[in-house]
Amino acid sequence: MGPVEDSQEGELLLSRLSESTKAISELSDCRNVCKKMYGNLVRRAKLLSPLFEELRDSEVGLDDDVVKAFESLRLGLDSATQLLNSVNGGSKLYLALQREKIAQKFHLVTEQIEAALSEIHYDKLNLSEEVREQIELVHAQFQRAKGRIDTLDLQLDIDLATAQKEKEPDPTVLKRLSEKLHLKTINDIKKESLAFHEMVISSNGDPGDCFEKMSSLFKKIKDWVLNESPQVETSEGEKGLIKHRSPVIPDDFRCPISLELMKDPVIVSTGQTYERSCIQKWLDAGHKTCPKTQQTLLHTALTPNYVLKSLIALWCESNGVELPKKQANCRSKKSGGCSVSDCDPAAIDALLEKLANGNTEQQRAAAGELRLLAKRNADNRVCIAEAGAIPLLVDLLSSPDPRTQEHAVTALLNLSINDGNKGTIVNAGAIPDIVDVLKNGSMEARENAAATLFSLSVIDENKVAIGAAGAIPALITLLCEGTPRGKKDAATAIFNLSIYQGNKARAVKAGIVTPLMRLLKDAGGGMVDEALAILAILASHPEGKTAIGQAEPIPVLVEVIRTGSPRNRENSAAVLWSLCTGNFEQLKLSKELGAEEVLKELSENGTDRAKRKAGNILELLNRIEVGATVNT
């Protein structure tokens, strides 16, 4: 390489280093538990800037050793930028629970930068005394930082553990958590809620092992903040005006279906929120899509949006609006409603006596009654479980009477809607018996067994137990031969179980890819959405990627990206990106089948995730073209 090229390479490298330090210096302030680590790294990296600026101005060439050292430093600063961006956003609670891992990442980046600085021989550089002293000082700071990992806040650890363990933590503990986590205002709470939902949606339902802890902790902190946040002071005259006018309801508080103020907001699988009664009517009418986005719902579970519900209640209180009361869930006997009164302990005890000691007909009738009661409302689910019904229903899963078995598994399905009941069902040893019903029961029992496994698998440790009990091959069988509803239940359960890495391998070994490809190619079968969602999650596993690649998926994936729904285009792009990464043949085939054109369109008009995946694949395709040009 000639001296002109050496000079150009050095100038380019110094420019990139200067840009890196400038980008770091322009980062916004950090307002979470990583504030100290973040601030220290930003401060030290900013102090390197004069070194690069002075060398650029001096126009003195850099020798090979210096270029090599500066290249290592550039990689270190790039790693620092990525780390700083990753911790300055998202869920503050998630960052708090991951502090130890994050501290280790900061330590590794510090080591990387210090190692690069150690390779630089300052006597070979034409530096002013002032700049040299500053850089040596910064280097010493990185050396000291390398020798220690930032100590974690022990009191914060204690407070987090206490708040998780205790049902009603001391307000002093919640106050400290609110301050240290920078969740002090209603606006902070809204942002944290959005970060939660973004985690779930962007990760295809797999936000990480600590999500259950996060949900419980966040609800306690949120309740404390909403109770403690001072309301805006209003004069007596303004209060009078509020009482005599109808305040404008914020759009976020209105149900997209009824456009009325929501009293029981729930989240569907696409992340949209609706009034429970409105979306339930929509689903009961046979609709399978999200009314607002028109995306097909992966499942019909409705998750309460507690944060929004609290914010609506707070808004109502501040504006003198009475929140509509829920209607009673159960009609009287005369109107054709409940045959057993809701939450009637004596009546429920009588049913449990029949479950335990009755003949076949009595057991069948009692299980059927409990099935209906558990479906009706949340209070019933608590009452039935507290009365001790769950172990008795688990025993009936092995009943020789098919109808009793159906009632028992469906009653457990309905009871499992209550998160507290999930643990009781699993602790009663239900999982192997539910899997047995899934394998050998009537079609209705198998469908409801699949739905029950999905419900239980919401808790991460249950994903492991359900996979180990042999559920996945049986779910794949139901996916192949079930009714339309059975196939949906099986697909939803397989998707949720496959969030756990070990279950991905189980699903691939059990032959999941072949039926998924068949469903994907059958556009009229109504299972394209589910098939693609599962393929997208399996493609992240090495065995899944290999199996999908052998099924010749590229033509249908390209076609879905061309003509599919937004979510399906996104999942197709995710699968295609996984297949093409590190595989020249798949990349070449994608190009030959016209992927480039449809990916360019997707990169402009797709969902945010689809745009990212499309951009990544286009980069890979561009490298093929560059390589071909060079070879030519």
Side-chain angles (χ1 to χ4, degrees), residues 601-618:
E601 192 277 329
L602 184 63
S603 69
E604 295 171 0
N605 301 312
T607 63
D608 288 344
R609 180 167 174 258
K611 288 177 181 177
R612 288 197 302 273
K613 295 297 181 187
N616 291 338
I617 305 168
L618 287 169

Side-chain angles (χ1 to χ4, degrees), residues 289-453:
T289 56
C290 170
K292 192 170 182 179
T293 67
Q294 298 305 308
Q295 292 174 299
T296 300
L297 296 169
L298 184 60
H299 56 76
T300 55
L302 303 176
T303 306
N305 191 335
Y306 293 116
V307 174
L308 185 60
K309 188 173 183 178
S310 295
L311 293 172
I312 291 173
L314 196 65
W315 178 85
C316 288
E317 185 180 340
S318 301
N319 288 276
V321 175
E322 185 176 352
L323 191 65
K325 298 290 189 294
K326 287 188 185 180
Q327 295 178 347
N329 285 297
C330 182
R331 299 185 303 274
S332 68
K333 224 175 183 181
K334 289 179 182 177
S335 62
C338 311
S339 56
V340 172
S341 300
D342 286 356
C343 291
D344 180 344
I348 290 172
D349 286 342
L351 291 175
L352 300 197
E353 174 62 27
K354 291 177 184 176
L355 283 189
N357 301 311
N359 58 33
T360 300
E361 288 186 7
Q362 289 173 325
Q363 287 181 328
R364 185 192 307 132
E369 197 70 62
L370 288 168
R371 168 184 178 172
L372 294 173
L373 281 171
K375 181 180 181 180
R376 194 163 290 129
N377 61 57
D379 289 340
N380 286 356
R381 289 188 274 276
V382 174
C383 292
I384 292 167
E386 289 181 348
I390 286 173
L392 297 173
L393 289 167
V394 171
D395 287 343
L396 289 181
L397 290 174
S398 51
S399 169
D401 179 59
R403 193 65 179 152
T404 301
Q405 193 181 64
E406 284 174 20
H407 288 327
V409 76
T410 311
L412 289 170
L413 167 61
N414 295 335
L415 289 170
S416 74
I417 295 169
N418 178 289
D419 285 344
N421 289 345
K422 287 179 170 67
T424 309
I425 292 168
V426 172
N427 292 336
I431 288 175
D433 290 327
I434 295 170
V435 172
D436 191 58
V437 173
L438 179 65
K439 291 177 179 176
N440 304 308
S442 67
M443 185 54 73
E444 183 181 342
R446 290 168 67 192
E447 292 171 355
N448 289 335
T452 308
L453 292 175

